Amino acid sequence: MKQILIINYEYPPLGGGGGVASKKLAEAWCKMGYKVDCITTWVLGLDKFEVMNGVNVYRVPVVGRRTKSTAGMLSLITFPLCAYKLAKQLCSNNHYEFVNTHFAVPTGPLGVWVSKKYKIRNILSLHGGDIYDPTKKFSPHRWFLFRKCISWVLNKSDIVIAQSNNTKDNVASYYRYDSSKIKIIPLPYEKINFTPVKRQEIGMEKGDIYLISVGRLVRRKGYDFLLDVIFDLPDIKLVIIGNGPEMENLKIKAARLNIKDRVKFVGNISEERKFQYLYNADIYILSSVHEGFGIVIQEAMQVGLPIVSTNFGGQVDLIKEKENGLLVKYGDKVMMINAIKQLILNEEMRKAMRIHNINKIEEYRSENIAERYLKIL
């Protein structure tokens, strides 16, 4: 049986999109007949070893991580060091066809160390925020030592995969690496099974027009900008799904703008309930300053929602202008308002986008994406 080692400092139930993506790849490779081992972070409440949908998940304690939701700087820095002993043990006892390392930092150095020591090919998967996040003070692209480390990881990896053209462009802009070598493979997506419900069952009014957005409530998601847009659309309601440090500030702003009766902050909810909201909405809104990829766009596509999105980041690979969505410049309130109004007034465009998105989401099935990794080898 062929074997694959995945290394990712976050693997569900820890982490966000990058962790979910590595899990879907791992499970797809298992279905294809591979034995898949994964090294990730342990926190209190999780087993240090378990088999999850066929994947052998090994978790190592790190310094400073106490919760599933938050990875502090100390836990990030210490993960490669804490996980090195286990990685050596697994590589000594198994014959891996390749190592799939997720995130240039903090996981990248560990992938390089074990791949070179045991002469195993290393596929580095970049997820966007690991090399560039314009809203974070400690974004790697701003700091000399991070740039040096990431450039070293890129050059020492056998294959580098970016999930979007924007991530590839950011490598070219900030790091010493020949970005023409980078392969573009989008993140995998598996449809979520859910039971549709009527609007009234989830507190949505039957005849109203609803915009919807899903994401962690942090500055990068641009919800502050989105509330300004809603203020100038008096007949529109907005549902925001997710939690985060900006929740209270956003609620205060909604009250100050006198739109709190039109903005519903749902918080964290189950996947089933999230998709019931998506199913009942009219338009999906992505207001982010920047996105590495945009799994939420794939979720909107599954239920056939037309999309209005900012135009800076990996989401641009998913959205084709006037085919399945409309792209606007972040901060350009007039442009976003006009895009929303265009979709509301053009029923035929909305119907065409619905069909396009429902069909296109099939391209991102996990088995298809996992097979693309293997073909590169």
Side-chain angles (χ1 to χ4, degrees):
M1 181 182 288
K2 293 184 178 180
Q3 299 173 303
I4 297 171
L5 176 63
I6 291 178
I7 309 177
N8 192 348
Y9 80 103
E10 291 192 322
Y11 189 91
L14 272 65
V20 172
S22 62
K23 180 176 183 288
K24 290 176 181 175
L25 281 172
E27 292 173 359
W29 283 323
C30 282
K31 290 178 182 177
M32 297 165 71
Y34 284 83
K35 174 182 177 288
V36 182
D37 296 331
C38 176
I39 300 175
T40 188
T41 300
W42 173 85
V43 295
L44 191 64
L46 297 179
D47 295 326
K48 291 187 178 178
F49 172 79
E50 68 175 309
V51 180
M52 299 176 63
N53 295 327
V55 181
N56 299 316
V57 180
Y58 297 83
R59 300 187 179 98
V60 295
V62 296
V63 179
R65 182 149 192 173
R66 297 180 176 85
T67 66
K68 296 177 184 179
S69 59
T70 306
M73 184 61 69
L74 189 58
S75 71
L76 299 179
I77 293 172
T78 58
F79 173 75
L81 301 173
C82 294
Y84 183 57
K85 181 178 179 180
L86 174 60
K88 287 200 303 179
Q89 178 183 333
L90 289 175
C91 289
S92 296
N93 296 336
N94 296 278
H95 300 284
Y96 295 115
E97 185 174 353
F98 64 91
V99 178
N100 180 207
T101 306
H102 288 261
F103 295 98
V105 288
T107 322
L110 177 58
V112 170
W113 294 339
V114 297
S115 71
K116 297 307 179 187
K117 181 176 180 62
Y118 294 95
K119 296 180 173 55
I120 309 167
R121 289 174 294 182
N122 179 36
I123 300 178
L124 173 67
S125 296
L126 303 176
H127 290 283
D130 50 337
I131 64 166
Y132 176 84
D133 185 340
T135 65
K136 286 185 178 179
K137 177 181 178 182
F138 289 102
S139 175
H141 79 284
R142 301 185 191 278
W143 298 85
F144 174 76
L145 288 179
F146 276 132
R147 292 198 303 272
K148 289 283 286 184
C149 176
I150 290 173
S151 295
W152 178 80
V153 169
L154 290 166
N155 283 286
K156 293 296 183 180
S157 298
D158 298 288
I159 297 169
V160 179
I161 291 175
Q163 88 287 55
S164 70
N165 282 286
N166 178 259
T167 297
K168 179 178 179 177
D169 292 343
N170 286 328
V171 169
S173 297
Y174 298 105
Y175 301 97
R176 293 183 177 274
Y177 179 73
D178 181 1
S179 62
S180 66
K181 298 178 181 178
I182 295 177
K183 310 296 183 183
I184 306 295
I185 300 181
L187 298 186
Y189 183 79
E190 286 299 313
K191 289 183 180 179
I192 303 297
N193 293 320
F194 69 99
T195 303
V197 297
K198 294 181 179 180
R199 279 187 166 188
Q200 295 92 318
E201 295 181 45
I202 52 175
M204 297 172 72
E205 298 298 324
K206 185 176 180 180
D208 290 341
I209 297 171
Y210 282 90
L211 312 182
I212 190 166
S213 190
V214 180
R216 184 163 160 74
L217 305 190
V218 294
R219 285 178 52 219
R220 181 172 60 85
K221 296 297 182 178
Y223 288 125
D224 187 71
F225 163 54
L226 183 54
L227 293 183
D228 289 331
V229 170
I230 296 300
F231 175 77
D232 285 331
L233 291 169
D235 298 323
I236 304 297
K237 292 185 176 181
L238 170 66
V239 174
I240 297 178
I241 298 174
N243 212 330
E246 290 296 306
M247 171 71 87
E248 195 58 34
N249 290 335
L250 292 170
K251 286 184 174 180
I252 291 171
K253 178 165 184 171
R256 177 167 53 81
L257 293 175
N258 199 29
I259 59 172
K260 64 178 183 179
D261 59 328
R262 294 193 288 118
V263 180
K264 184 180 180 71
F265 292 95
V266 178
N268 289 332
I269 54 178
S270 67
E271 288 290 288
E272 169 96 1
R273 184 62 83 189
K274 177 174 73 174
F275 274 85
Q276 289 170 346
Y277 274 107
L278 287 167
Y279 177 81
N280 280 289
D282 296 289
I283 299 170
Y284 188 86
I285 300 291
L286 185 77
S287 55
S288 298
V289 180
H290 174 264
E291 283 288 339
F293 182 73
I295 292 175
V296 290
I297 296 295
Q298 293 175 317
E299 294 175 340
M301 290 169 68
Q302 176 182 330
V303 298
L305 280 176
I307 300 159
V308 175
S309 170
T310 48
N311 64 358
F312 181 41
Q315 69 270 31
V316 175
D317 288 4
L318 297 169
I319 301 170
K320 303 305 178 187
E321 183 72 12
K322 295 185 178 179
E323 287 187 15
N324 66 328
L326 300 174
L327 294 167
V328 302
K329 183 179 179 181
Y330 173 80
D332 192 329
K333 188 168 67 171
V334 173
M335 191 176 184
M336 180 169 275
I337 289 170
N338 288 340
I340 293 167
K341 287 181 176 179
Q342 183 179 354
L343 284 178
I344 291 171
L345 295 172
N346 194 331
E347 185 177 357
E348 290 302 313
M349 181 181 286
R350 294 201 310 275
K351 287 181 178 178
M353 288 182 177
R354 172 181 172 78
I355 294 170
H356 183 96
N357 278 333
I358 288 174
N359 291 333
K360 189 172 178 61
I361 195 62
E362 297 294 330
E363 298 177 10
Y364 303 104
R365 291 176 62 243
S366 296
E367 289 84 354
N368 295 340
I369 303 303
E371 183 63 35
R372 290 177 64 175
Y373 269 73
L374 300 181
K375 284 182 178 179
I376 285 178
L377 288 169

